[in-house]
Amino acid sequence: MPESLTKLTYQTFQQGKNYFGLAHKILSSQLRNLVYPTLQQKTKPIPNELLVKLQQRLNQLLETDWQDAQKGVYPESLLFDNPWQDFFSYYPLVWLDSPQIWERLKQQNYQDFSPEIDTDGYPSYYVQNFHHQSNGYLSDLSANLYDLQVEILFGGAADAMRRRILAPLKQGLKAFDSFTPKQVRILDVACGTGRTLKLIRAALPQASLFGTDLSPAYLRKANELLSQIPGELPQLLQGNAEELPYVDNYFHAVTSVFLFHELPASVRQTVIEQCFRVTKPGGVFIICDSIQLSDSPELEYMMDSFPETFHEPYYKHYTTDNLVERLQRVGFENIEIQDHFMSKYFIAHKPA
């Protein structure tokens, strides 16, 4: 297929996902306001000038995504990767779960777990209905719906944002060119359903991949996803990022995607300390998370409304937290910052 036609196909594919996400949000809001009119007062429409800026940022993200594929950072096929089977299986369940979410929002009940969900042994900050999800991160239903919900939230751009870690990851691993590809070990902290590990596997097909997460349900989903793709199966472990179950200086690279805004401030520091500990000298640590006020002040309106709209109790502090200072405090250096659409990236190096 000619390059121009492939790019047009990619743009059309992404535009379709964006329109679908927008249509879902509009319809969902209308139904919610009909059933729970009191919630309508809590949500305000996004100003038109802000919508224009968001579209510009999305266009820039998609262009970068396309260019990275053309440079060979990852296979072009990733641009069109979409879990269609999950979509058709689980999208109806998104709607069926919506009334419970709206009721939770109305009651401001943020620690609502079914009796069969065992919450013992988890940190108190984790036992939350993040995004108002039924049973938080501790049920198979939540794990099955998560990727679809995040795609809708970001208008089909979630994977494009995740892929922005791949170029700096491959660049950071050049410090270990003397190692064979299979000797290179990469850890994804809070790997969730395994989407990031799947992308890393496509970009680095022979690397040894590891993932850790607190949720057994999400790890089951990750194992289901990752066992379907070629290559060595990543090693998944249930564990708390505050105490990573690995020896010192073990990984050539460590990644973490969409974790830090869901951690209390003190825990963010502990997790960074742990990531530094398990990273080899000369290795790279990459954080992908939400934008912050320091780099995206024009989107302050959205950052202010996000914590209540989606129940993110630690997000507001995150938007003003100095993660560069936290990274430097434990010893990381040469810290680069990037912004893509609604996400921010910290690329930090452990001294050799």
Side-chain angles (χ1 to χ4, degrees):
M1 188 183 294
E3 182 179 316
S4 58
L5 182 57
T6 306
K7 185 174 185 180
L8 179 61
T9 304
Y10 168 64
Q11 291 171 332
T12 304
F13 176 62
Q14 286 295 150
Q15 190 175 55
K17 291 204 292 184
N18 187 246
Y19 287 156
F20 177 84
L22 182 61
H24 175 91
K25 290 172 190 171
I26 292 172
L27 182 56
S28 178
S29 295
Q30 289 174 341
L31 285 173
R32 183 195 63 201
N33 293 339
L34 184 65
V35 178
Y36 293 99
T38 55
L39 295 178
Q40 189 170 5
Q41 303 167 359
K42 296 183 179 182
T43 57
K44 299 177 183 178
I46 301 174
N48 288 333
E49 61 272 17
L50 187 53
L51 289 173
V52 171
K53 290 177 182 175
L54 286 173
Q55 187 60 54
Q56 290 172 343
R57 292 174 73 111
L58 176 59
N59 292 343
Q60 290 168 356
L61 167 70
L62 299 182
E63 179 61 26
T64 303
D65 197 26
W66 168 260
Q67 291 297 336
D68 275 0
Q70 296 309 297
K71 294 172 187 174
V73 175
Y74 41 82
E76 199 173 82
S77 59
L78 274 191
L79 299 176
F80 301 96
D81 180 53
N82 200 67
W84 295 111
Q85 184 176 350
D86 278 9
F87 173 83
F88 290 114
S89 299
Y90 300 124
Y91 183 63
L93 297 180
V94 171
W95 283 108
L96 289 173
D97 194 42
S98 293
Q100 296 181 65
I101 291 175
W102 298 336
E103 181 64 28
R104 207 171 287 121
L105 184 59
K106 177 187 176 185
Q107 299 293 336
Q108 295 190 332
N109 186 0
Y110 303 134
Q111 293 182 307
D112 177 30
F113 288 82
S114 302
E116 69 271 15
I117 299 295
D118 183 7
T119 59
D120 289 343
Y122 293 100
S124 58
Y125 65 81
Y126 187 74
V127 186
Q128 303 267 353
N129 299 111
F130 290 104
H131 317 153
H132 304 291
Q133 290 184 118
S134 296
N135 294 316
Y137 289 134
L138 295 176
S139 75
D140 290 317
L141 176 63
S142 169
N144 285 328
L145 298 185
Y146 176 81
D147 286 326
L148 180 54
Q149 290 172 324
V150 172
E151 276 290 279
I152 292 171
L153 171 63
F154 290 118
D159 273 354
M161 290 192 293
R162 288 189 185 102
R163 284 193 287 268
R164 303 283 61 76
I165 72 166
L166 297 178
L169 175 60
K170 294 183 83 170
Q171 181 65 34
L173 288 173
K174 287 183 178 180
F176 302 103
D177 278 348
S178 60
F179 289 71
T180 64
K182 281 198 170 186
Q183 288 178 312
V184 172
R185 293 185 291 268
I186 303 168
L187 170 67
D188 188 39
V189 177
C191 64
T193 64
R195 290 295 293 176
T196 300
L197 284 170
K198 181 182 180 183
L199 300 177
I200 296 173
R201 169 61 76 223
L204 296 160
Q206 294 187 63
S208 295
L209 303 186
F210 298 73
T212 183
D213 200 275
L214 259 176
S215 170
Y218 276 64
L219 288 171
R220 283 193 293 272
K221 184 68 176 178
N223 191 63
E224 176 189 322
L225 171 71
L226 296 169
S227 62
Q228 296 170 4
I229 61 177
E232 182 181 295
L233 188 65
Q235 297 181 37
L236 305 178
L237 279 179
Q238 184 181 3
N240 191 332
E242 295 178 77
E243 193 174 353
L244 291 173
Y246 305 101
V247 298
D248 297 357
N249 307 318
Y250 190 64
F251 295 102
H252 302 83
V254 177
T255 62
S256 179
V257 177
F258 302 147
L259 166 67
F260 278 78
H261 72 277
E262 293 189 341
L263 299 175
S266 61
V267 178
R268 278 180 222 134
Q269 190 65 41
T270 302
V271 173
I272 287 174
E273 290 168 359
Q274 284 290 299
C275 290
F276 183 84
R277 179 183 66 78
V278 301
T279 301
K280 278 184 175 294
V284 64
F285 174 42
I286 303 173
I287 296 172
C288 162
D289 214 293
S290 166
I291 51 174
Q292 294 183 302
L293 285 169
S294 58
D295 52 88
S296 304
E298 71 277 14
L299 300 182
E300 181 177 4
Y301 172 89
M302 298 195 71
M303 284 183 260
D304 281 347
S305 62
F306 185 77
E308 182 175 350
T309 305
F310 295 99
H311 182 58
E312 290 282 5
Y314 315 111
Y315 181 83
K316 188 171 182 61
H317 183 275
Y318 165 85
T319 60
T320 59
D321 198 7
N322 190 336
L323 262 66
V324 171
E325 183 180 286
R326 292 188 182 279
L327 290 161
Q328 290 174 334
R329 193 182 305 167
V330 302
F332 283 113
E333 61 183 22
N334 299 329
I335 300 165
E336 178 188 353
I337 293 175
Q338 296 181 9
D339 296 298
H340 299 283
F341 189 36
M342 300 300 291
S343 51
K344 182 173 182 176
Y345 305 77
F346 302 84
I347 301 131
H349 299 84
K350 186 168 180 174

